[in-house]
Amino acid sequence: MKHKLFSCTSLASSFFGIFIPCMLISACSHAPEYARVRGYAQGGEYSVTYNREGVNADEQTVAHAIDSILTLVDTSLSGYNKASILSRYNAGAEVRPNRLFLDVLDRCRDYWNLTGGALDVAAGPLYDAWGFGFRNASLPSAGTVDSLRAICGMDKLLPDLTSSVPGVCPVLNFNAVAQGYTCDLVAAYLHSLGVKDMLVDIGEIYCEGVNAKGNFWKVGVDRPVDGNMTPGADLDGIWQGDGRGCGIVTSGNYRKYYEKDGKKYSHTIDPRTGYPVSHSLLSATIVTGNAADADAYATYCMVIGLEEAKAFISSAPDVEGYLIYDQDGQMKEWASEGFNIVSPEQ
């Protein structure tokens, strides 16, 4: 199985200087040649750390450019920004999709084909119906689920972005790929400056090279237990890179779910059935050459469950994975051969 790798250098190079940024910048105290840009975007805090050696742009210029990328993503792909291209498209307004929007949509069509429909960004109405999209709802009836499955999905999205079902307005949801894609855009910009050592953390992660101490980057894998809402507070283990650029993304159902009538409903919806998944897989951490693919594949693994996820990871070139699952009430782990996991104590 071959997977299409993503390069967004050409996209990133055309995005800068468009918006007026507002950023907080600080230099890493332990290594002045490393700089750190921090701020708030996509519903949480983000951090970009990079080695300034050989970089002609000053820190303020880099911060402005990163802020421009994040603003462009927000105004193009966010379903929470009501003025974004995506939100206006979902509301049925006539929009002119920009290059960013179309690029993500093309990639998502590839994911849909690759996964046999298990990853479907055009199933937005199903996510909304279960309360895990851009609207508040819960527990749709079987009739509602069936009716939504009949009108939504990538197979019904025509090339002109209209629906093949008369009278239906397609609804898209890019949550399964947008944060990883954003990491890749920021990384591509830093590459354009000659940066070789970086860690881009925008909810998902892209890293490359070494940190300020000269060591390979390490990323914690959270224990997927209900109530573990703070990344890094309770770790199952730590992944360590080898210097090659890659995305590392974890998807799980332990932070986004609700309970009703004694039953837990996870935020991972299988668009092929229309229902939240119910299986033993608690979280999936994927490492691959870019963060967009890692983001999409982690979600895909959570849809298909433990055994299919093992088979996918084992057969996919340049994809490594770490799966945490429940076995008779005990938390167990499975790692692919190339996934370098170390204990929190190391």
Side-chain angles (χ1 to χ4, degrees), residues 67 80 126 132 163 192 210 213 260 270 301:
D67 189 60
Y80 302 101
L126 282 169
F132 297 116
S163 174
S192 75
V210 296
K213 294 182 179 180
K260 195 147 187 173
D270 186 340
C301 287

Side-chain angles (χ1 to χ4, degrees), residues 4 14 64 75 80 84 86 92 98 117 123 129 141 146 165-166 171 181 203 234 254 280 289 294 313 335:
K4 183 177 174 184
S14 64
H64 282 207
T75 56
Y80 302 101
S84 73
L86 177 64
N98 60 14
S141 67
D146 289 342
V165 181
V171 176
Y181 183 87
D234 184 6
Y254 55 100
S280 64
I313 294 166

Side-chain angles (χ1 to χ4, degrees), residues 126 141-151 273 275:
L126 282 169
S141 67
T144 297
V145 171
D146 289 342
S147 65
L148 291 176
R149 287 181 61 223
I151 65 170
T273 66
Y275 288 87

Side-chain angles (χ1 to χ4, degrees), residues 197-214:
D197 305 306
M198 68 181 80
L199 188 144
V200 180
D201 182 353
I202 310 176
E204 318 303 358
I205 290 174
Y206 177 91
C207 64
E208 185 172 340
V210 296
N211 62 22
K213 294 182 179 180

Side-chain angles (χ1 to χ4, degrees), residues 29 41 62 79 95 97 99 136 143 173 177 179 197 210-212 227 229 238 241 256 284 315 333 336-337:
S29 59
V62 173
V95 299
R99 186 179 176 188
N136 294 322
N173 185 319
V177 67
Q179 285 186 312
D197 305 306
V210 296
N211 62 22
M229 304 300 291
I238 297 175
K256 296 180 182 178
S315 65
E333 296 89 5
S336 61
E337 184 176 353

Side-chain angles (χ1 to χ4, degrees), residues 30 45 89 97 106 122 153 161 181 190 206 235 256 284 297 311 330:
H30 55 277
E45 295 182 356
Y89 171 82
D106 284 345
L161 302 187
Y181 183 87
L190 294 175
Y206 177 91
L235 296 180
K256 296 180 182 178
Y297 296 162
Q330 298 294 315

